[in-house]
Amino acid sequence: HAKSQGANRYLFFNDSMNKLAVKRLQVENLIRHGLKENYFSVYYQPKMDIISGTLVGMEALVRFITPKGGLISPASFIPVAEETGQIIEIGEVVLRQACRDVKTWLDQNLFHGRVAVNLSSRQFSLPFLCEQIDDILQQTELPSYHLELEITEGTVMQSPPQAIETMKKLRARGIHLAMDDFGTGYSSLAYLKQFPLNTLKIDKAFIDDMNTARGRNMVDTIVTIAHNLSLTVVAEGVEQAEQLDMLRKLRCEVIQGYYYSKPLSATDFADFLRLQKIQRSKTHSAAVLS
Ligand code: C2E
Ligand code: MG
Ligand code: MG
Ligand code: MG
């Protein structure tokens, strides 16, 4: 069969535009298959208080686990999923799993904070977004207090007035909102102050630039803007102790990055939580005994 189409195929695959289309179609099929077979899994990356070094929360990050146990990063499938709309279903799977996991850790007295889940613009603009979130929170029995949603500038700038409405509805439920990848998009300061946000996440690109004076000034400026808007600042992609020191001096509150931990599977993250708990009780008994 393949042989009989050989000549056509050759032409087909030789065209770079078609190659791209084929690649996209393959990814789309892989995603569809993955959704059917539950190949999507949620990893968690700790967010740490920059002063105390204790855990304040975590970000849920989707992974595609192949049948052989391989791990496919979202960078290679999220863009396609955005285009095809499959991101809506992936997002629902991630949100439900994150709520389920956090409920478990709450019940085990391992965690009391918030889990941050990324929302794509396709999800954010769903007319039934709030109802869907309500349903998931109800089904998983997770109080809305424990949920934070991360959205990007691109998402909210598509239609700022509508975005503000949606954000207000989410905030009214006690859900926190974070602006992700801040500084890489096109949001204006005029809008930034109107968005009912709780947190601003500085994109890794700015943290990478902190080895230059210009780069440090830039981060300083972003932190100042955030604080003027009463937002908590999270630095993303912190890898080095020097970056952490500089961020502490700039009064950034929370850091997330390989310096503390890469994103972990739910099992590994639960171990991380247990370790944190042991350290907390040690610090506590030390304080009591001293
Ligand atoms: P993001 O939301 O900005 O997530 C942070 C990304 O930075 C994650 O990449 C994380 O693994 C990576 N990261 C954190 N610390 C470090 C570090 O110290 N060094 C380096 N090199 N990287 C670090 P990841 O998990 O590959 O996700 C990439 C992007 O894919 C996310 O960026 C987000 O935009 C998207 N994404 C991931 N999961 C979901 C999801 O469930 N739904 C949606 N809509 N998007 C998702
Ligand atoms: Mg994020
Ligand atoms: Mg980010
Ligand atoms: Mg990012």
Side-chain angles (χ1 to χ4, degrees), residues 45 59-63 73-75 78 82 87 90-91 94 117-120 123 150 180-181 201 203-204 236-239 256-259 261 263:
Q45 187 176 33
E59 178 172 10
L61 295 156
V62 69
R63 296 290 181 265
S73 98
I78 294 271
E82 287 270 5
I87 190 67
I90 297 174
V94 172
V117 179
N118 292 285
L119 267 199
S120 79
Q123 277 178 287
E150 296 191 2
D180 203 356
D181 305 342
K201 299 188 77 177
D203 194 73
K204 181 180 187 298
E236 289 192 294
V238 177
E239 294 179 347
Q256 179 184 341
Y258 295 177
Y259 177 80
S261 172

Side-chain angles (χ1 to χ4, degrees), residues 33-51:
H33 184 65
L35 282 166
K36 211 172 115 221
E37 306 290 334
N38 294 321
Y39 288 162
F40 289 98
S41 177
V42 183
Y43 273 49
Y44 299 94
Q45 187 176 33
K47 291 185 187 177
M48 314 296 285
D49 180 289
I50 201 163
I51 308 276

